[in-house]
Amino acid sequence: SHYSNQPCSIVLNMLIGVGGTALTSTVRGASVFTPKSVSGLFLWLKADVGVTADGSNKVSAWTDQSTAGNNFSQSTAANKPTLTASAQNSLPAVVFDGTADYMTAGSISVGPWSMLAVVSKNWTTATYSGIWSHAFLGTSGRGFSTTGGAANGWFTKEFLGVGNGFNNGQSPQLAGPYGALTDNTYHLVSAGVGASCFLRLNKASVIRLSTNSVATTATATLAIGTQSATFVNNFWNGGIAELCLYNSRLADDDVIKVEDYLKAKWATP
């Protein structure tokens, strides 16, 4: 036997019938990895697909690319984020202004979770800023944000992820520093809560605080760009290029697979 000299990535053969009849395709070789390749994906937002923006690039809708149908919208002009072309690696991002921009989806049930995201912000200014939230409160709720001060076991300018509220002693909870990053640069952030927690920045662990337990499952409004859809505050002051949420604490191997996909696409550090 022998190997052909064709590249081993993917060979796509397409057969188009006469008169516009059915188109079929076959794929030979390695399968294409996407975040859907890992089970449990309940939200997949990417700024290069599914964004509805007006002539001023104000975003009114962002369609979930998972099969869960958690589509986001914002009808109030003052709260709409902005679609920015060529934000990172010649690809767009949805940028939130840090003062009023946010979007919401429907009310869904969430318990343990994992997040993998490519985001930017004003990193040098310490602010409480939420990437996503789900009834993010002191003794209940889930979400991921940055910190603007030291309280409840976390320090200033850290990432904070919670699975059952952010008060001191609530569990699961994680925190860790993001260090000296250049303002408005895009970075790969990965985190998850459950029976064990993880927190990674650009594929390196930065976890400092971890309280581990099974996250409480509850039903609430899912939001992006704010730390709380209940109080509508602590807005994200930067871009979201891609955001993946899973309904479990992912296995380490799966975390790395999704990280590799995002790093290759967005050319993060």
Side-chain angles (χ1 to χ4, degrees):
S1 62
H2 65 278
Y3 296 100
S4 72
N5 61 3
Q6 294 176 317
C8 64
S9 56
I10 291 181
V11 178
L12 182 65
N13 300 310
M14 303 180 70
L15 176 63
I16 304 176
V18 177
T21 55
L23 178 148
T24 62
S25 64
T26 59
V27 177
R28 188 173 76 246
S31 60
V32 178
F33 180 89
T34 75
K36 286 183 180 178
S37 303
V38 175
S39 63
L41 182 68
F42 71 89
L43 179 66
W44 182 17
L45 299 177
K46 50 182 183 173
D48 54 332
V49 176
V51 176
T52 301
D54 63 18
S56 299
N57 293 319
K58 293 298 182 180
V59 177
S60 60
W62 200 352
T63 303
D64 181 12
Q65 301 301 307
S66 80
T67 59
N70 291 313
N71 302 317
F72 281 79
S73 64
Q74 179 54 263
S75 59
T76 302
N79 302 128
K80 292 180 179 179
T82 302
L83 180 64
T84 300
S86 195
Q88 175 70 13
N89 200 29
S90 300
L91 293 168
V94 175
V95 178
F96 297 76
D97 66 3
T99 58
D101 293 350
Y102 73 102
M103 304 182 78
T104 58
S107 182
I108 67 168
S109 179
V110 179
W113 57 264
S114 293
M115 178 203 81
L116 297 99
V118 175
V119 296
S120 72
K121 76 181 296 283
N122 182 346
W123 298 106
T124 58
T125 301
T127 56
Y128 289 104
S129 302
I131 296 177
W132 70 274
S133 62
H134 183 258
F136 189 91
L137 298 169
T139 58
S140 65
R142 293 135 294 279
F144 190 87
S145 61
T146 58
T147 63
N152 297 334
W154 67 75
F155 300 151
T156 303
K157 294 179 66 174
E158 288 197 316
F159 292 121
L160 171 66
V162 304
N164 189 32
F166 57 78
N167 281 355
N168 194 27
Q170 293 297 112
S171 182
Q173 189 175 130
L174 61 86
Y178 51 80
L181 303 178
T182 302
D183 280 350
N184 302 314
T185 53
Y186 283 82
H187 297 271
L188 172 57
V189 183
S190 310
V193 301
S196 65
C197 296
F198 69 92
L199 175 62
R200 289 158 61 89
L201 174 63
N202 298 321
K203 300 191 65 178
S205 178
V206 293
I207 198 163
R208 180 191 60 79
L209 167 71
S210 176
T211 60
N212 304 314
S213 67
V214 177
T216 300
T217 299
T219 300
T221 298
L222 186 64
I224 57 172
T226 177
Q227 197 177 44
S228 173
T230 303
F231 300 110
V232 192
N233 62 358
N234 297 342
F235 300 98
W236 186 247
N237 59 339
I240 299 177
E242 194 152 349
L243 172 63
C244 301
L245 292 178
Y246 294 85
N247 63 8
S248 68
R249 193 285 192 200
L250 291 182
D252 292 347
D253 287 350
D254 287 332
V255 172
I256 292 170
K257 289 175 185 176
V258 182
E259 286 179 335
D260 287 345
Y261 158 85
L262 291 171
K263 181 178 174 65
K265 177 178 176 179
W266 294 99
T268 52

Coordinates of all heavy atoms in Angstrom, one line a residue, residues 70-149:
N70 N -29.7 29.6 22.6 CA -29.7 30.7 23.6 C -29.2 32.0 22.9 O -28.1 32.4 23.0 CB -28.8 30.3 24.7 CG -29.3 29.2 25.6 OD1 -30.5 29.3 26.0 ND2 -28.5 28.2 25.9
N71 N -30.1 32.5 22.1 CA -29.9 33.7 21.3 C -30.0 35.0 22.1 O -30.9 35.1 22.9 CB -30.8 33.8 20.1 CG -30.7 32.5 19.2 OD1 -29.6 32.0 19.0 ND2 -31.9 32.0 18.8
F72 N -29.1 35.9 21.9 CA -29.0 37.1 22.7 C -29.6 38.3 21.9 O -29.5 38.3 20.7 CB -27.6 37.4 23.1 CG -27.1 36.6 24.3 CD1 -26.7 35.3 24.1 CD2 -27.2 37.1 25.6 CE1 -26.3 34.5 25.2 CE2 -26.8 36.4 26.7 CZ -26.4 35.1 26.5
S73 N -30.2 39.2 22.6 CA -30.7 40.4 22.0 C -30.6 41.6 22.9 O -30.5 41.5 24.1 CB -32.2 40.2 21.6 OG -33.0 40.0 22.7
Q74 N -30.7 42.8 22.3 CA -30.8 44.1 23.0 C -31.5 45.1 22.1 O -31.1 45.4 21.0 CB -29.4 44.6 23.3 CG -29.4 45.9 24.0 CD -30.2 46.0 25.3 OE1 -31.3 46.4 25.3 NE2 -29.6 45.4 26.4
S75 N -32.7 45.5 22.6 CA -33.5 46.4 21.8 C -33.3 47.9 22.1 O -33.7 48.8 21.4 CB -35.0 46.1 21.9 OG -35.4 46.1 23.3
T76 N -32.8 48.2 23.3 CA -32.6 49.6 23.7 C -31.3 50.1 23.1 O -30.2 49.6 23.4 CB -32.5 49.7 25.3 OG1 -33.7 49.1 25.8 CG2 -32.3 51.1 25.7
A77 N -31.4 51.2 22.4 CA -30.2 51.8 21.7 C -29.0 52.1 22.6 O -27.9 51.8 22.2 CB -30.6 53.0 20.9
A78 N -29.3 52.6 23.8 CA -28.2 53.0 24.7 C -27.5 51.8 25.3 O -26.4 52.0 25.8 CB -28.8 53.9 25.8
N79 N -28.0 50.6 25.2 CA -27.5 49.4 25.8 C -26.9 48.5 24.8 O -26.4 47.4 25.1 CB -28.5 48.7 26.6 CG -29.1 49.5 27.7 OD1 -30.3 49.6 27.8 ND2 -28.3 50.2 28.5
K80 N -26.8 48.9 23.5 CA -26.3 48.0 22.4 C -24.8 48.1 22.3 O -24.3 49.2 22.3 CB -26.9 48.4 21.1 CG -28.4 48.1 21.0 CD -29.0 48.5 19.6 CE -30.4 48.2 19.5 NZ -31.0 48.6 18.1
P81 N -24.1 46.9 22.3 CA -22.7 46.9 22.1 C -22.4 47.2 20.6 O -23.3 47.3 19.8 CB -22.3 45.5 22.5 CG -23.5 44.7 22.2 CD -24.7 45.6 22.6
T82 N -21.1 47.3 20.3 CA -20.7 47.7 18.9 C -19.9 46.6 18.3 O -19.0 46.0 18.9 CB -19.9 49.0 19.0 OG1 -20.6 50.0 19.6 CG2 -19.5 49.4 17.6
L83 N -20.3 46.3 17.0 CA -19.5 45.3 16.2 C -18.3 46.0 15.7 O -18.4 47.0 14.9 CB -20.3 44.7 15.1 CG -19.6 43.7 14.2 CD1 -19.2 42.5 15.0 CD2 -20.5 43.3 13.0
T84 N -17.1 45.6 16.0 CA -15.8 46.2 15.6 C -15.1 45.2 14.6 O -14.8 44.1 15.0 CB -14.9 46.5 16.8 OG1 -15.6 47.4 17.6 CG2 -13.6 47.1 16.3
A85 N -14.9 45.7 13.4 CA -14.2 44.9 12.4 C -12.7 44.7 12.7 O -12.1 45.6 13.2 CB -14.5 45.5 11.0
S86 N -12.2 43.6 12.3 CA -10.7 43.4 12.4 C -10.2 43.7 13.8 O -9.2 44.4 14.0 CB -10.0 44.2 11.3 OG -8.6 43.8 11.2
A87 N -10.9 43.2 14.8 CA -10.5 43.5 16.2 C -9.3 42.6 16.6 O -8.4 43.1 17.3 CB -11.6 43.2 17.1
Q88 N -9.2 41.4 16.1 CA -8.1 40.5 16.5 C -7.9 39.5 15.4 O -8.8 38.8 14.9 CB -8.4 39.7 17.8 CG -7.4 38.7 18.2 CD -6.1 39.3 18.6 OE1 -6.0 40.5 18.9 NE2 -5.1 38.4 18.7
N89 N -6.7 39.4 14.9 CA -6.3 38.4 13.8 C -7.2 38.6 12.6 O -7.6 37.7 12.0 CB -6.4 37.0 14.3 CG -5.6 36.1 13.4 OD1 -4.6 36.5 12.8 ND2 -6.0 34.8 13.4
S90 N -7.5 39.9 12.3 CA -8.4 40.3 11.1 C -9.8 39.8 11.2 O -10.5 39.7 10.2 CB -7.7 39.8 9.8 OG -6.4 40.3 9.6
L91 N -10.2 39.5 12.4 CA -11.6 39.0 12.7 C -12.3 40.0 13.6 O -11.7 40.7 14.4 CB -11.6 37.6 13.3 CG -11.1 36.5 12.5 CD1 -10.9 35.2 13.3 CD2 -12.1 36.2 11.3
P92 N -13.6 40.1 13.6 CA -14.4 41.1 14.3 C -14.6 40.6 15.8 O -14.4 39.5 16.2 CB -15.7 41.1 13.6 CG -15.9 39.8 13.0 CD -14.5 39.3 12.6
A93 N -15.0 41.6 16.6 CA -15.4 41.3 18.0 C -16.6 42.2 18.3 O -16.8 43.3 17.7 CB -14.3 41.6 18.9
V94 N -17.4 41.8 19.3 CA -18.5 42.6 19.8 C -17.9 43.3 21.0 O -17.5 42.7 22.0 CB -19.7 41.8 20.1 CG1 -20.8 42.6 20.8 CG2 -20.3 41.1 18.9
V95 N -18.0 44.7 21.0 CA -17.3 45.5 22.1 C -18.4 46.1 22.9 O -19.3 46.8 22.4 CB -16.4 46.5 21.4 CG1 -15.7 47.4 22.5 CG2 -15.3 45.9 20.6
F96 N -18.2 46.0 24.3 CA -19.1 46.5 25.3 C -18.4 47.7 25.9 O -17.2 47.7 26.2 CB -19.4 45.5 26.3 CG -20.2 44.3 25.7 CD1 -19.5 43.3 25.0 CD2 -21.5 44.1 26.0 CE1 -20.2 42.2 24.5 CE2 -22.2 43.1 25.4 CZ -21.6 42.1 24.7
D97 N -19.2 48.8 26.2 CA -18.6 50.1 26.5 C -18.2 50.2 28.0 O -17.6 51.2 28.4 CB -19.5 51.3 26.1 CG -20.8 51.3 26.8 OD1 -21.1 50.5 27.7 OD2 -21.6 52.2 26.5
G98 N -18.6 49.3 28.9 CA -18.3 49.3 30.3 C -19.2 50.2 31.1 O -19.0 50.3 32.3
T99 N -20.2 50.9 30.5 CA -21.1 51.8 31.2 C -22.5 51.4 31.1 O -23.3 51.6 32.0 CB -20.9 53.2 30.7 OG1 -21.2 53.3 29.3 CG2 -19.5 53.7 31.0
A100 N -22.9 50.8 30.0 CA -24.4 50.5 29.8 C -24.6 49.3 28.9 O -25.8 48.8 28.9 CB -25.1 51.7 29.2
D101 N -23.7 48.8 28.1 CA -23.9 47.8 27.1 C -24.0 46.4 27.7 O -23.2 46.0 28.5 CB -22.8 47.8 26.1 CG -22.7 49.0 25.3 OD1 -23.6 49.8 25.3 OD2 -21.7 49.2 24.5
Y102 N -25.1 45.7 27.4 CA -25.2 44.3 27.8 C -26.3 43.7 26.9 O -27.0 44.4 26.1 CB -25.6 44.2 29.2 CG -27.1 44.6 29.5 CD1 -28.1 43.6 29.7 CD2 -27.4 45.9 29.6 CE1 -29.4 44.0 30.0 CE2 -28.7 46.3 29.9 CZ -29.7 45.3 30.1 OH -31.0 45.7 30.4
M103 N -26.4 42.3 26.9 CA -27.4 41.6 26.1 C -27.9 40.5 27.0 O -27.2 40.0 27.9 CB -26.8 41.1 24.8 CG -26.2 42.1 23.9 SD -25.6 41.5 22.3 CE -27.1 41.3 21.4
T104 N -29.2 40.0 26.7 CA -29.8 38.9 27.5 C -30.3 37.9 26.5 O -30.7 38.2 25.4 CB -30.9 39.4 28.4 OG1 -31.9 40.1 27.7 CG2 -30.3 40.3 29.5
A105 N -30.4 36.7 27.0 CA -31.1 35.6 26.3 C -32.3 35.2 27.2 O -32.6 35.9 28.1 CB -30.1 34.4 26.1
G106 N -32.8 34.0 27.0 CA -33.9 33.6 27.8 C -33.5 33.1 29.1 O -32.4 33.1 29.5
S107 N -34.5 32.6 29.9 CA -34.3 32.0 31.2 C -34.0 30.5 31.0 O -34.8 29.8 30.4 CB -35.6 32.2 32.1 OG -35.4 31.7 33.3
I108 N -32.9 30.1 31.5 CA -32.4 28.7 31.3 C -31.9 28.2 32.6 O -31.6 28.9 33.6 CB -31.4 28.6 30.2 CG1 -30.0 29.3 30.7 CG2 -31.8 29.1 28.9 CD1 -28.9 28.9 29.8
S109 N -31.7 26.9 32.7 CA -31.2 26.2 33.8 C -29.7 26.0 33.7 O -29.3 25.5 32.7 CB -31.9 24.8 34.0 OG -31.4 24.2 35.2
V110 N -28.9 26.4 34.7 CA -27.5 26.2 34.7 C -27.0 25.7 36.0 O -27.5 26.2 37.1 CB -26.8 27.5 34.3 CG1 -25.2 27.3 34.3 CG2 -27.2 28.1 32.9
G111 N -26.1 24.8 36.0 CA -25.4 24.3 37.3 C -23.9 24.4 37.1 O -23.4 25.5 36.9
P112 N -23.2 23.3 37.2 CA -21.8 23.4 37.0 C -21.5 23.9 35.6 O -22.3 23.7 34.7 CB -21.3 21.9 37.1 CG -22.4 21.3 38.0 CD -23.7 22.0 37.6
W113 N -20.4 24.6 35.4 CA -20.1 25.2 34.1 C -18.6 25.3 33.8 O -17.8 25.2 34.7 CB -20.7 26.6 34.0 CG -20.3 27.6 35.0 CD1 -20.9 27.9 36.2 CD2 -19.1 28.4 35.0 NE1 -20.2 28.8 36.9 CE2 -19.1 29.1 36.2 CE3 -18.0 28.5 34.1 CZ2 -18.0 30.0 36.5 CZ3 -17.0 29.4 34.4 CH2 -17.0 30.1 35.6
S114 N -18.4 25.4 32.5 CA -17.0 25.7 32.0 C -17.1 26.8 31.0 O -18.1 26.8 30.2 CB -16.3 24.5 31.4 OG -16.0 23.5 32.4
M115 N -16.2 27.7 31.0 CA -16.2 28.8 30.0 C -14.8 28.9 29.3 O -13.8 28.7 30.0 CB -16.4 30.1 30.7 CG -16.3 31.4 29.8 SD -15.9 32.9 30.7 CE -14.2 32.8 30.9
L116 N -14.9 29.0 28.0 CA -13.7 29.3 27.3 C -14.0 30.5 26.4 O -14.9 30.5 25.6 CB -13.2 28.1 26.4 CG -12.9 26.9 27.3 CD1 -14.0 25.9 27.4 CD2 -11.6 26.2 26.8
A117 N -13.2 31.6 26.5 CA -13.5 32.8 25.8 C -12.2 33.5 25.3 O -11.2 33.4 25.9 CB -14.3 33.7 26.7
V118 N -12.4 34.3 24.3 CA -11.4 35.2 23.8 C -12.0 36.6 24.0 O -13.0 37.0 23.4 CB -11.0 35.0 22.3 CG1 -10.1 36.1 21.8 CG2 -10.4 33.6 22.1
V119 N -11.3 37.4 24.9 CA -11.9 38.7 25.3 C -10.8 39.7 25.5 O -9.6 39.4 25.6 CB -12.6 38.6 26.7 CG1 -13.8 37.7 26.6 CG2 -11.7 38.1 27.8
S120 N -11.2 41.0 25.5 CA -10.3 42.1 25.7 C -11.0 43.0 26.7 O -12.2 42.9 27.0 CB -10.0 42.9 24.5 OG -11.1 43.6 24.0
K121 N -10.2 43.9 27.4 CA -10.8 44.9 28.2 C -9.7 46.0 28.6 O -8.5 45.8 28.2 CB -11.4 44.3 29.5 CG -10.4 43.9 30.6 CD -11.0 43.3 31.8 CE -11.9 44.3 32.6 NZ -11.1 45.2 33.4
N122 N -10.1 47.0 29.3 CA -9.2 47.9 29.9 C -8.5 47.2 31.1 O -9.0 47.4 32.2 CB -9.9 49.2 30.3 CG -9.0 50.3 30.8 OD1 -7.8 50.0 31.2 ND2 -9.4 51.5 31.0
W123 N -7.5 46.5 30.8 CA -6.9 45.6 31.9 C -6.2 46.4 33.0 O -6.2 45.9 34.1 CB -5.9 44.7 31.2 CG -6.5 43.7 30.2 CD1 -6.3 43.8 28.9 CD2 -7.3 42.6 30.4 NE1 -7.0 42.8 28.2 CE2 -7.6 42.0 29.2 CE3 -7.8 42.0 31.6 CZ2 -8.4 40.9 29.0 CZ3 -8.6 40.9 31.4 CH2 -8.9 40.3 30.2
T124 N -5.7 47.6 32.8 CA -5.0 48.3 33.8 C -5.9 49.0 34.8 O -5.4 49.3 35.9 CB -4.1 49.4 33.2 OG1 -4.9 50.3 32.4 CG2 -3.0 48.8 32.2
T125 N -7.1 49.2 34.5 CA -8.1 49.8 35.5 C -8.8 48.7 36.2 O -9.5 47.9 35.5 CB -9.0 50.7 34.8 OG1 -8.3 51.8 34.1 CG2 -10.0 51.4 35.8
A126 N -8.8 48.6 37.5 CA -9.5 47.6 38.2 C -11.0 47.9 38.3 O -11.4 48.9 38.8 CB -9.0 47.5 39.7
T127 N -11.8 47.1 37.7 CA -13.2 47.2 37.7 C -13.9 45.9 37.9 O -13.5 44.9 37.4 CB -13.7 47.8 36.3 OG1 -13.3 47.0 35.2 CG2 -13.2 49.2 36.1
Y128 N -15.1 46.0 38.5 CA -16.0 44.8 38.6 C -16.7 44.8 37.2 O -17.5 45.7 36.9 CB -17.0 44.9 39.7 CG -16.4 44.8 41.1 CD1 -16.1 45.9 41.9 CD2 -16.0 43.5 41.5 CE1 -15.6 45.7 43.2 CE2 -15.5 43.3 42.8 CZ -15.2 44.4 43.6 OH -14.7 44.2 44.8
S129 N -16.4 43.8 36.4 CA -16.9 43.7 35.0 C -17.3 42.3 34.7 O -16.4 41.4 34.8 CB -15.8 44.2 34.0 OG -15.5 45.6 34.3
G130 N -18.5 42.1 34.3 CA -18.9 40.7 34.0 C -18.9 40.4 32.5 O -19.4 41.1 31.7
I131 N -18.3 39.2 32.2 CA -18.4 38.7 30.9 C -19.7 38.0 30.7 O -20.4 38.3 29.7 CB -17.2 37.7 30.6 CG1 -15.9 38.3 30.7 CG2 -17.4 37.0 29.3 CD1 -14.7 37.4 30.6
W132 N -20.1 37.2 31.6 CA -21.5 36.6 31.5 C -22.0 36.4 33.0 O -21.2 36.3 33.9 CB -21.4 35.3 30.8 CG -20.7 34.1 31.5 CD1 -19.4 33.8 31.5 CD2 -21.3 33.1 32.3 NE1 -19.1 32.7 32.2 CE2 -20.3 32.3 32.8 CE3 -22.6 32.8 32.7 CZ2 -20.5 31.2 33.6 CZ3 -22.9 31.7 33.5 CH2 -21.8 30.9 34.0
S133 N -23.3 36.3 33.1 CA -23.9 36.1 34.4 C -25.2 35.3 34.3 O -25.8 35.3 33.3 CB -24.1 37.4 35.1 OG -25.0 38.2 34.4
H134 N -25.5 34.7 35.4 CA -26.7 33.9 35.5 C -27.2 33.9 36.9 O -26.8 33.2 37.8 CB -26.4 32.4 35.1 CG -27.6 31.5 35.0 ND1 -27.9 30.6 36.0 CD2 -28.7 31.4 34.1 CE1 -29.0 29.9 35.8 NE2 -29.5 30.4 34.6
A135 N -28.0 35.0 37.3 CA -28.4 35.2 38.6 C -27.3 35.4 39.6 O -27.2 34.8 40.7 CB -29.4 34.1 39.1
F136 N -26.3 36.2 39.2 CA -25.0 36.4 39.9 C -25.3 37.2 41.2 O -25.4 38.4 41.1 CB -24.0 37.1 39.0 CG -22.6 37.1 39.5 CD1 -21.7 36.1 39.2 CD2 -22.2 38.2 40.3 CE1 -20.4 36.2 39.7 CE2 -20.9 38.3 40.8 CZ -20.0 37.3 40.5
L137 N -25.4 36.6 42.3 CA -25.7 37.2 43.6 C -24.8 36.7 44.7 O -24.0 35.8 44.5 CB -27.2 37.0 43.9 CG -28.2 37.5 43.0 CD1 -29.6 37.0 43.3 CD2 -28.2 39.0 42.9
G138 N -25.0 37.3 45.9 CA -24.1 36.9 47.0 C -24.1 35.5 47.4 O -23.1 34.8 47.7
T139 N -25.3 34.9 47.5 CA -25.5 33.5 48.0 C -26.1 32.6 47.0 O -26.5 31.5 47.3 CB -26.3 33.5 49.3 OG1 -27.6 34.1 49.0 CG2 -25.6 34.3 50.4
S140 N -26.2 33.0 45.7 CA -26.7 32.2 44.7 C -26.2 32.7 43.3 O -25.7 33.8 43.2 CB -28.2 32.2 44.7 OG -28.7 33.4 44.4
G141 N -26.3 31.9 42.3 CA -26.0 32.3 41.0 C -24.6 31.9 40.5 O -23.8 31.4 41.2
R142 N -24.5 32.1 39.2 CA -23.3 31.7 38.5 C -22.8 32.8 37.6 O -23.6 33.6 37.2 CB -23.6 30.4 37.7 CG -23.9 29.2 38.5 CD -25.1 28.4 37.9 NE -26.3 29.2 38.1 CZ -27.0 29.3 39.2 NH1 -26.6 28.7 40.3 NH2 -28.1 30.0 39.2
G143 N -21.5 32.8 37.3 CA -21.0 33.9 36.4 C -19.5 34.0 36.4 O -18.8 33.3 37.3
F144 N -19.0 34.9 35.6 CA -17.5 35.1 35.5 C -17.3 36.5 35.2 O -17.9 37.2 34.3 CB -16.9 34.2 34.4 CG -15.4 34.2 34.4 CD1 -14.7 33.3 35.1 CD2 -14.7 35.1 33.6 CE1 -13.4 33.3 35.2 CE2 -13.3 35.1 33.6 CZ -12.6 34.2 34.4
S145 N -16.3 37.1 36.0 CA -16.1 38.5 35.9 C -14.7 38.9 36.3 O -13.9 38.0 36.7 CB -17.1 39.3 36.8 OG -16.9 38.9 38.1
T146 N -14.3 40.2 36.3 CA -13.1 40.6 36.9 C -13.5 41.4 38.2 O -14.6 41.9 38.4 CB -12.3 41.5 36.0 OG1 -13.1 42.7 35.6 CG2 -11.9 40.8 34.7
T147 N -12.5 41.6 39.1 CA -12.7 42.3 40.3 C -12.2 43.7 40.3 O -11.1 44.0 39.7 CB -12.1 41.5 41.5 OG1 -10.7 41.5 41.3 CG2 -12.6 40.1 41.6
G148 N -12.9 44.6 41.1 CA -12.5 45.9 41.2 C -11.9 46.3 42.6 O -11.6 47.4 42.8
G149 N -11.9 45.3 43.4 CA -11.4 45.5 44.8 C -11.2 44.2 45.5 O -11.4 43.1 44.9

